Amino acid sequence: GISVGLSLAYASLNQKNDELGKQQHPPPRVHAIGVCDNPDYFYNSMSSIADNMGLANLPTPDTTTEQFVRTAVTVHHGKGRGYAISTD
């Protein structure tokens, strides 16, 4: 949730800056740890949420939402023995 929020806040800020003729800023680098699934699941989920929220003003017209999310967020694979997997 936080990763999506930060990424969307960046996009919104840059959209407003663009409307005001101000300089665009690079996205912040966000790191997340996925403990219940693999990183691709989270990249896909974040992209879907961003699309449903109407994310606009990506860095270039040919940048996909998923490319933007993968640039702004690094999801580390945290699922494993000792966390999110039963040892019984």
Side-chain angles (χ1 to χ4, degrees):
I2 292 172
S3 300
V4 173
L6 288 171
S7 297
L8 293 176
Y10 152 79
S12 176
L13 174 66
N14 270 345
Q15 184 171 0
K16 191 65 170 173
N17 283 346
D18 192 44
E19 290 169 6
L20 298 173
K22 294 183 178 180
Q23 179 181 354
Q24 298 278 330
H25 298 282
R29 287 297 305 162
V30 178
H31 291 264
I33 299 172
V35 297
C36 63
D37 223 311
N38 63 45
D40 285 336
Y41 168 83
F42 292 104
Y43 289 124
N44 291 333
S45 294
M46 286 186 274
S47 298
S48 177
I49 291 168
D51 284 339
N52 289 332
M53 292 181 71
L55 178 66
N57 202 32
L58 293 170
T60 63
D62 57 338
T63 300
T64 67
T65 306
E66 186 166 340
Q67 289 169 329
F68 168 75
V69 168
R70 287 179 179 266
T71 298
V73 181
T74 300
V75 178
H76 302 278
H77 190 48
K79 182 178 177 180
R81 192 169 194 81
Y83 199 93
I85 292 181
S86 174
T87 56
D88 289 341

